[in-house]
Amino acid sequence: MITFNGVDKSFTENRKAVKGLSFTIERGEFFVLIGPSGCGKTTTLKMINRLIDASSGTITINGSPHTDVDIHELRWNIGYVLQQIALFPHLTVAENISVVPEMKKWKQKDIERRVDELLDLVGLDPATYRDRLPEDLSGGQQQRIGVARALAGDPDIILMDEPFSALDPLVREQLQTDIKALQQQIKKTIVFVTHDMREAIILGDRIAMMEEGELQQVGTAEELQQNPATPAVSASWGVFPVKEISH
Ligand SMILES: Nc1ncnc2c1ncn2[C@@H]1O[C@H](COP(=O)(O)OP(=O)(O)O)[C@@H](O)[C@H]1O
Ligand SMILES: [Mg+2]
């Protein structure tokens, strides 16, 4: 449903941040982008909702170039979760989650119902949490609200850029388990950026490995390990304990 066709992005004249990206993300897939810092993961993700525009090539969503869609419509229909907890500090939990439904001019009653439904979905009791301010939540709870907010407008696609990497290991593991279960329940297309192979194995239906702006391979963790397409894939995945982690 999301297809990159020969996509390049240059921020400066003589250097491409990403080059020749061609791949397809299927509807309902948990798709993980992995690679070392600076390899172009965030750039790739942000091109999907046009926070960054490609320098050349096309990106289609459901078969149409995404530049044909009104840019605000496009952004409202693609949820986005960031690493740095980006809740509005002066808004309550309910108000934070309501931002997109408010912009979409939903009825107040529908918004309230949606907030409680989403709090339940991300494992927080609505009555306890809906009127709290972000500062009265733990880091893990704030990221749960970040996920709820991204889901609020019922988008088909959710982009997540290293959403759990600032959290301590136990909280992180819990959120990984929960987001995987959540995705299986709601069947949204999730594009998830990480540099953590363990996280990629736990979450990804398929994993796209990037290095220096170029896509190396797309496949399951087992495929990357057993059938590496490039020396970079082989170097990272060859000896990694994929089996132990995926079971
Ligand atoms: N706004 C920008 N201006 C100039 N260069 C940028 C900009 N954003 C990213 N880059 C460069 O593009 C490359 C890819 O960056 P990025 O997509 O953020 O990588 P990653 O998310 O994998 O760490 C890096 O070399 C980075 O310095
Ligand atoms: Mg990044």
Side-chain angles (χ1 to χ4, degrees):
M1 68 154 339
I2 306 170
T3 301
F4 280 64
N5 288 306
V7 172
D8 291 335
K9 175 66 192 180
S10 307
F11 292 104
T12 54
E13 240 170 57
N14 43 19
R15 202 178 150 271
K16 288 179 177 171
V18 303
K19 39 196 174 223
L21 291 183
S22 294
F23 62 95
T24 293
I25 300 167
E26 305 297 341
R27 179 185 295 276
E29 186 170 35
F30 205 126
F31 191 88
V32 173
L33 277 171
I34 194 168
S37 181
C39 74
K41 303 181 296 296
T42 295
T43 302
T44 303
L45 197 72
K46 285 183 170 174
M47 286 193 293
I48 296 173
N49 66 352
R50 296 189 61 200
L51 288 172
I52 294 176
D53 272 319
S55 304
S56 58
T58 56
I59 298 169
T60 63
I61 297 181
N62 295 328
S64 312
H66 72 340
T67 44
D68 287 357
V69 182
D70 173 78
I71 193 159
H72 303 291
E73 290 278 322
L74 184 82
R75 299 235 177 99
W76 293 347
N77 289 314
I78 299 180
Y80 189 43
V81 187
L82 294 156
Q83 174 189 346
Q84 65 279 23
I85 294 157
L87 299 178
F88 299 110
H90 55 287
L91 298 185
T92 65
V93 161
E95 288 164 344
N96 265 285
I97 296 173
S98 307
V99 169
V100 170
E102 294 275 1
M103 285 196 248
K104 287 184 164 181
K105 303 206 184 328
W106 290 17
K107 292 200 193 96
Q108 205 50 43
K109 240 176 53 203
D110 293 337
I111 295 178
E112 284 167 21
R113 191 179 325 117
R114 183 75 177 145
V115 165
D116 285 1
E117 178 184 291
L118 285 162
L119 284 170
D120 270 331
L121 197 66
V122 298
L124 295 172
D125 174 48
T128 309
Y129 290 99
R130 74 163 86 80
D131 296 321
R132 288 206 186 170
L133 287 170
E135 65 187 13
D136 299 323
L137 303 174
S138 70
Q141 289 170 340
Q142 291 187 34
Q143 273 316 49
R144 287 177 191 273
I145 301 304
V147 171
R149 187 176 60 180
L151 292 169
D154 205 20
D156 294 328
I157 300 167
I158 301 146
L159 311 177
M160 305 183 84
D161 196 349
E162 310 211 24
F164 307 147
S165 56
L167 303 173
D168 67 61
L170 280 179
V171 176
R172 183 173 185 166
E173 260 178 52
Q174 187 60 54
L175 276 161
Q176 287 167 349
T177 308
D178 290 356
I179 195 75
K180 185 73 183 170
L182 179 64
Q183 197 262 351
Q184 283 163 351
Q185 186 185 341
I186 61 180
K187 300 188 168 61
K188 303 283 185 187
T189 307
I190 297 185
V191 191
F192 189 105
V193 165
T194 184
H195 57 258
D196 182 308
M197 292 172 67
R198 196 187 156 79
E199 185 163 79
I201 294 164
I202 291 168
L203 295 178
D205 293 321
R206 286 190 305 156
I207 299 167
M209 187 183 161
M210 296 179 68
E211 180 127 333
E212 295 185 1
E214 290 183 282
L215 186 65
Q216 303 292 307
Q217 186 169 1
V218 182
T220 63
E222 289 76 14
E223 284 164 359
L224 298 189
Q225 178 148 72
Q226 285 160 22
N227 242 325
T230 69
V233 177
S234 177
S236 299
W237 291 84
V239 294
F240 204 77
V242 170
K243 271 214 186 80
E244 285 86 327
I245 294 167
S246 58
H247 290 124

